[in-house]
Amino acid sequence: MTRTAVEPAPGRPHGVAAARTRHALRRVVGVVARSVAIFVPVFLVATFVTFALRSLSGLSPARIQLGEEATPEAIARVEAQWGLDRPFLVQYGDWLGGVLHGELGTSWTNGADISALIGLGLGVSLSIATFALVIGVVVGFLLGTLAALRRTTWIDRSITGFVTVISVMPAFVVGIVLVAVLAVGLQLFPAAGYVPAEQGVGPWLAHITLPAVALSFDVIADVARQLRTSLIAAYSENYVTGAVVRGLSPRRIFFGHVLRNGLGPTLATLGLKFPSLVGASVVTEWIFGLQGFGRFANDSAQAGDVPAVQGVLVVSIVLVVGFNLIVNLMLARVTPASQRGV
């Protein structure tokens, strides 16, 4: 009888763990399903508008290849070679089918595969943007947390003033200063160029550090300010007062209650930061002599290479949606409200 009475007890922790696992899986599936439900119509509308750019712009590969003096017959011949004489919806359907298979078309200017061209530049920009995001999150987290824990003191005021100053400093100004001081003056980093990570992590980091630091200032400022505000607001909540009454240590209160509830708005802020970093890298790439995604987009737009611009916009849409999906999954895992199904 005694054995029968105590046998179910060991099963309870296993059952609770299994229930928590199922709940976590449902949360993840729910986040992914909502993201897909938003992504599909947004992607279709965005790609349709993107493809319509050629018709709205009036640009033609014949104008680029033959010049402004081309005859109407020559223009018609070149456009027929590119399939531009077909109905608009037929062209869009073929182009969208290629996009879904990872084929972004062919450049009007040099006939190269746009997917390959974007891949070369995207590797550079993603390296810089990812490193800038890491620097911004780490430094911003430390500054925001310290300011919140020492609120109303000289430390809080100093951090707030520092964050305010760096938030108004343009990336290209910071980049020029970094090149002049750290690259040319002290010769601690390369002044320009890029080395892929496959050729060595050390040289790769050396070449992307200064561009990443130049881009990270805005992230540092946003993360520090948002985290400070969120943490101070979390400290004023009733659940923190209850935790203090129960005798929990300040360390446990901070990590178990304050930080987890304060991270939500900060993570939401990061949702748009990574794609914007990739787009904002165009000026930084010029300063550091990098052939990245932003510079490729700028060169393509100036050359009137519509298929390349369309490819850039499609990749940008995927970057925005993909990174926001990652942020939403992190929110579902970290924030207590989402774990309760709120």
Side-chain angles (χ1 to χ4, degrees):
M1 294 292 294
T2 302
R3 183 176 181 181
T4 304
V6 300
E7 275 182 355
R12 290 198 193 105
H14 177 73
V16 172
R20 289 178 177 174
T21 301
R22 290 193 298 269
H23 183 56
L25 183 60
R26 285 197 298 268
R27 288 202 315 272
V28 171
V29 172
V31 170
V32 173
R34 288 193 297 270
S35 299
V36 171
I38 296 173
F39 171 73
V40 172
V42 169
F43 181 77
L44 291 176
V45 172
T47 53
F48 183 83
V49 173
T50 297
F51 189 78
L53 285 175
R54 190 199 69 81
S55 299
L56 296 175
S57 66
L59 295 173
S60 168
R63 296 292 184 184
I64 297 176
Q65 297 173 11
L66 304 178
E68 295 296 331
E69 303 298 327
T71 63
E73 294 78 11
I75 292 175
R77 184 173 62 253
V78 172
E79 291 187 346
Q81 293 174 355
W82 286 89
L84 302 181
D85 56 340
R86 296 175 299 166
F88 174 80
L89 292 180
V90 174
Q91 296 181 47
Y92 171 70
D94 292 343
W95 177 77
L96 181 61
V99 168
L100 297 178
H101 288 86
E103 300 172 359
L104 299 177
T106 305
S107 171
W108 283 356
T109 57
N110 53 26
D113 181 63
I114 294 174
S115 300
L117 295 176
I118 290 180
L120 294 174
L122 194 60
V124 178
S125 295
L126 286 180
S127 298
I128 297 172
T130 302
F131 197 21
L133 192 68
V134 171
I135 295 173
V137 169
V138 172
V139 178
F141 180 87
L142 293 176
L143 293 178
T145 302
L146 183 59
L149 294 177
R150 297 291 184 267
R151 57 190 179 277
T152 71
T153 66
W154 67 270
I155 296 178
D156 181 21
R157 291 192 292 270
S158 299
I159 291 176
T160 302
F162 171 73
V163 166
T164 302
V165 170
I166 66 173
S167 67
V168 298
M169 297 179 64
F172 72 90
V173 174
V174 178
I176 293 173
V177 173
L178 292 176
V179 170
V181 176
L182 298 180
V184 178
L186 301 178
Q187 298 184 352
L188 297 177
F189 296 93
Y194 176 77
V195 174
E198 294 80 11
Q199 298 182 16
V201 177
W204 172 69
L205 285 175
H207 283 80
I208 68 173
T209 296
L210 294 186
V213 171
L215 287 175
S216 68
F217 277 27
D218 188 50
V219 183
I220 293 173
D222 283 352
V223 170
R225 285 186 295 205
Q226 183 61 64
L227 186 61
R228 175 190 178 277
T229 302
S230 300
L231 292 180
I232 291 177
Y235 266 115
S236 64
E237 295 292 338
N238 292 331
Y239 54 77
V240 174
T241 304
V244 173
V245 172
R246 293 198 305 271
L248 298 182
S249 66
R251 180 186 181 92
R252 186 174 178 182
I253 291 174
F254 176 75
F255 287 102
H257 299 278
V258 176
L259 183 60
R260 293 188 65 186
N261 286 278
L263 275 179
T266 305
L267 288 175
T269 300
L270 291 177
L272 295 177
K273 275 299 168 186
F274 185 76
S276 65
L277 284 175
V278 176
S281 63
V282 57
V283 177
T284 308
E285 291 167 5
W286 276 104
I287 295 173
F288 292 95
L290 302 171
Q291 288 291 340
F293 182 71
R295 191 168 177 180
F296 173 77
N298 179 73
D299 293 344
S300 300
Q302 291 188 358
D305 194 348
V306 175
V309 174
Q310 291 172 340
V312 167
L313 293 177
V314 169
V315 173
S316 300
I317 294 168
V318 173
L319 284 176
V320 171
V321 175
F323 190 75
N324 275 275
L325 174 60
I326 295 174
V327 170
N328 289 336
L329 290 174
M330 293 174 63
L331 283 171
R333 180 66 182 90
V334 172
T335 55
S338 66
Q339 294 186 12
R340 294 192 301 268
V342 179

